[in-house]
């Protein structure tokens, strides 16, 4: 990161303050295939910062997928992601929830029904995510910075 130590601590403190009540869901969003740097960042998030418990609260969201209503197409895409990319496999192997498929075209694109349906899928998932994860690292960071 290009942040100074002070900026980094300020941002960490702010992030910990924001999740003081806990986290209901983490969405790892991709518009295509995962890259090695994304997989590396994900590894740091769950292995270093949050621990394996966060994997139970994480869902991969595959956006810009026009056939998001087609179960066969989503299954095929999931399998292709696993075989095409070691980065994707690293992420998908650890995340406990199935991939959520949506299509979110720009508002001026004209596919308003896809946008509405995708929004509904995401909101329904969020509403059903009632468990709360309180990352222990947030208390530790807050105490160290204070």
């Amino acid at each position: 990161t290009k942040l100074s130590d002070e900026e980094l601590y300020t941002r960490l403190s702010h992030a910990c303050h924001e999740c003081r009540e806990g986290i209901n869901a983490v969405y790892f969003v991709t518009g295509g295939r995962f890259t090695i740097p994304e997989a590396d960042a994900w590894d740091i998030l769950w292995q270093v910062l949050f621990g394996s418990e966060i994997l139970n609260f994480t869902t991969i969201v595959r956006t810009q997928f026009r056939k998001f209503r087609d179960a066969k197409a989503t299954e095929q895409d999931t399998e292709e992601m696993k075989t095409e990319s070691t980065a994707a496999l690293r992420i998908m192997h650890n995340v406990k929830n199935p991939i959520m498929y949506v299509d979110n075209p720009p508002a001026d694109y004209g596919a308003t029904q896809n946008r509405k349906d995708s929004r509904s899928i995401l909101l329904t998932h969020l509403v059903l995510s009632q468990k709360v994860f309180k990352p222990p690292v947030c208390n530790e960071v807050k105490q160290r910075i204070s």
Side-chain angles (χ1 to χ4, degrees):
T1 179
K2 295 180 182 178
L3 299 175
S4 69
D5 286 350
E6 186 176 332
E7 287 176 301
L8 181 62
Y9 294 143
T10 299
R11 287 189 182 193
L12 278 173
S13 176
H14 179 71
C16 287
H17 178 74
E18 290 299 316
C19 42
R20 69 189 176 281
E21 299 298 322
I23 297 170
N24 293 90
V26 174
Y27 294 121
F28 200 123
V29 180
T30 182
R33 301 297 186 245
F34 290 107
T35 65
I36 297 295
E38 288 171 331
D40 292 345
W42 174 244
D43 288 344
I44 290 169
L45 276 173
W46 80 267
Q47 292 175 359
V48 177
L49 291 176
F50 294 118
S52 62
E53 182 66 19
I54 197 68
L55 299 171
N56 297 314
F57 294 84
T58 304
T59 301
I60 296 169
V61 179
R62 169 74 160 88
T63 65
Q64 302 169 7
F65 195 80
R66 294 214 177 147
K67 296 181 179 181
F68 70 100
R69 295 181 194 91
D70 182 341
K72 282 188 178 186
T74 61
E75 285 177 32
Q76 181 179 352
D77 186 69
T78 298
E79 291 308 312
E80 287 174 3
M81 283 201 311
K82 289 178 184 176
T83 60
E84 290 176 1
S85 165
T86 57
L89 191 57
R90 279 175 45 202
I91 295 168
M92 294 166 69
H93 175 73
N94 291 305
V95 173
K96 307 295 185 221
N97 297 315
I99 298 175
M100 185 183 314
Y101 283 85
V102 296
D103 185 27
N104 57 337
D108 62 347
Y109 183 73
T112 55
Q113 191 59 49
N114 281 9
R115 290 178 65 78
K116 287 179 184 177
D117 291 351
S118 296
R119 179 180 167 88
S120 177
I121 289 169
L122 289 166
L123 289 175
T124 299
H125 184 269
L126 192 55
V127 166
L128 295 175
S129 300
Q130 295 299 313
K131 288 184 182 178
V132 176
F133 172 62
K134 293 190 177 184
V137 71
C138 287
N139 286 333
E140 294 169 19
V141 168
K142 189 175 178 182
Q143 290 172 356
R144 287 182 185 177
I145 293 174
S146 298

